[in-house]
Amino acid sequence: MTDADSLQTEVAALERELMRAIGAAGETATLEQVRVAALGRKGRITELMHGLPALAPAERKRAGAAFNAVRDRIAAAIAARQRALHEAEVEARLRAEALDVTLPPRPTDRGTIHPVSQVTEEIIAIFADMGFTVAEGPDIEDDFHNFTALNIPPEHPARQMHDTFYLEAAPGAAPMVLRTHTSPVQIRAMRAGPPPYRVIAPGRTFRRDSDQTHTPMFHQVEGLVIDRSTHMGNLKGCLEEFGRAFFEVENLRMRFRPSHFPFTEPSAEVDIGCRRKGNELVIGAGEDWLEILGCGMVHPRVLEHVGLDPETHQGFAFGMGIDRVAMLKYGIPDLRAFFESDLRWLRHYGFAALDVPGLAMGLAR
Ligand code: PHE
């Protein structure tokens, strides 16, 4: 046996040994140790190759070629094993860190939509179907929008009737108020652009009052229609249409009773027919009446305050208590409970989050 032969036997044995070690390496760090021990600067293959110069030239050439082939096979095997281990490690990590976003929410976490929110959406859906858009104004109003522009000048007795919350005033300035009704949004809507107007404005309102049917904060929805020819008959038709759709009673009885508001002339209050059977209240039938809103033809002086000519423009406005019609429609007896955030009350009277009111599917299911 030549030196070259024994060298090659040694190399063949080393190749088998290394191939086993590569296959056995279970993680990339171990494999790296195998690689350094074989192919590194002081590795075993490198070391064997140092024996080549001692061989005779012809043998050196043959053995050198064989060595290179072994080195390349070992390197390729290491690279392949490395890829496989890396993939397995990524797989394992993905599995360990997986987040199942498909888990259903636990029933105890389920909230409900407050009746005021639900009824507000119902009202918006009905008026949107009649061509109204939604307008907004601030809860903190100035004296002009809440009173003066609505034909309630300073010292007007109606100011006392509103039980107003006043904010502390800056020296010399008129105090701001928590708006006592949504009517100031009429003024804002008309000052925001040219007529015609067809808007509703739902929102919070505030009065210093508290008993079973009054809370210091409550909700109203304002309606305003102004163009050149809108008349009282349109007002009546619009509100009757609303009443039928909202209470879901085909022959809803409604009564327009003469009344007074400084910002409308003529003015009316609207009652709906009902029957009381003990504690139960049935809407639409019976001999009793329940007031739900105030309305009228917008007063010429209000139009003048926003720069409209009462000779060419006219229309109607109404203001309705949202909490009040919510109580009537869903048989909720005490208004104060609306704002106490009692979870048992909210679960009982609240609505499922996906019960979005729309006319096509019925308002509430
Ligand atoms: N703002 C009146 C109120 O709060 C309601 C109303 C609005 C009446 C619009 C007529 C026209 O009582």
Side-chain angles (χ1 to χ4, degrees):
M1 218 163 82
T2 62
D3 287 352
D5 285 342
S6 70
L7 200 58
Q8 273 195 25
T9 313
E10 217 178 307
V11 168
L14 180 59
E15 180 175 3
R16 280 194 299 277
E17 183 192 331
L18 286 175
M19 286 299 190
R20 265 197 307 279
I22 292 168
E27 48 191 71
T28 46
T30 324
L31 186 65
E32 179 61 10
Q33 284 167 15
V34 174
R35 190 190 66 79
V36 172
L39 303 173
R41 242 174 357 109
K42 293 199 176 119
R44 292 174 59 194
I45 292 196
T46 320
E47 230 153 60
L48 278 178
M49 287 180 110
H50 288 325
L52 283 177
L55 297 178
E59 288 194 323
R60 194 195 308 157
K61 203 172 165 202
R62 193 163 54 87
F67 273 27
N68 283 340
V70 169
R71 196 193 50 203
D72 291 350
R73 284 199 292 275
I74 296 290
I78 290 177
R81 184 77 188 144
Q82 211 152 30
R83 271 195 304 278
L85 286 178
H86 182 71
E87 265 165 36
E89 279 166 19
V90 169
E91 271 295 310
R93 227 182 111 188
L94 283 178
R95 234 174 295 121
E97 294 174 10
L99 188 66
D100 185 358
V101 293
T102 65
L103 277 179
R106 278 172 294 150
T108 47
D109 294 335
R110 210 178 288 147
T112 58
I113 302 294
H114 195 284
V116 170
S117 304
Q118 181 77 10
V119 164
T120 302
E121 289 301 324
E122 292 178 16
I123 293 169
I124 291 173
I126 294 168
F127 282 107
D129 196 54
M130 292 193 244
F132 285 71
T133 54
V134 175
E136 280 183 320
D139 290 358
I140 299 175
E141 262 301 1
D142 56 40
D143 188 274
F144 175 77
H145 286 91
N146 197 80
F147 294 123
T148 307
L150 289 163
N151 196 29
I152 314 176
E155 312 307 329
H156 192 288
R159 290 200 175 204
Q160 268 75 60
M161 284 161 51
H162 276 219
D163 300 313
T164 313
F165 284 110
Y166 289 94
L167 277 69
E168 208 172 315
M176 299 287 278
V177 302
L178 295 182
R179 67 177 178 192
T180 55
H181 49 180
T182 42
S183 298
V185 189
Q186 286 184 38
I187 305 301
R188 292 185 177 275
M190 289 190 281
R191 291 176 119 201
Y197 309 108
R198 189 178 278 252
V199 298
I200 55 165
R204 290 196 185 93
T205 46
F206 307 84
R207 289 185 202 176
R208 291 187 354 193
D209 215 345
S210 186
D211 58 37
Q212 196 183 340
T213 52
H214 296 89
T215 50
M217 190 278 295
F218 58 107
H219 297 83
Q220 283 191 341
V221 56
E222 195 79 7
L224 175 73
V225 175
I226 301 281
D227 54 29
R228 292 177 186 276
S229 59
T230 291
H231 51 76
M232 197 94 186
N234 300 133
L235 165 61
K236 196 158 179 266
C238 173
L239 291 177
E240 282 176 351
E241 176 68 33
F242 166 78
R244 269 196 299 272
F246 180 77
F247 291 107
E248 296 172 277
V249 174
E250 199 38 59
N251 295 313
L252 182 68
R253 290 197 315 134
M254 260 189 163
R255 176 170 81 171
F256 285 69
R257 208 168 11 87
S259 184
H260 173 78
F261 300 101
F263 33 92
T264 46
E265 179 59 35
S267 303
E269 280 175 318
V270 174
D271 304 332
I272 55 171
C274 66
R275 183 174 54 220
R276 280 172 241 256
K277 278 194 301 193
N279 269 344
E280 207 193 344
L281 183 68
V282 183
I283 300 289
E287 301 308 310
D288 277 343
W289 296 101
L290 264 171
E291 182 203 325
I292 58 164
L293 63 87
C295 61
M297 299 303 293
V298 175
H299 198 290
R301 240 174 274 155
V302 174
L303 297 175
E304 280 163 7
H305 270 300
V306 298
L308 286 178
D309 181 357
E311 293 299 319
T312 59
H313 285 86
Q314 62 177 37
F316 63 77
F318 60 86
M320 182 169 62
I322 295 179
D323 323 272
R324 194 174 170 83
V325 294
M327 290 170 74
L328 293 176
K329 180 168 179 179
Y330 293 111
I332 308 174
D334 190 336
L335 176 63
R336 286 169 298 193
F338 272 66
F339 309 116
E340 281 169 357
S341 302
D342 183 330
L343 270 180
R344 292 164 305 174
W345 188 91
L346 291 170
R347 288 204 184 103
H348 182 77
Y349 288 110
F351 291 81
L354 294 176
D355 273 358
V356 182
L359 290 178
M361 295 182 288
L363 285 173
R365 280 150 285 141

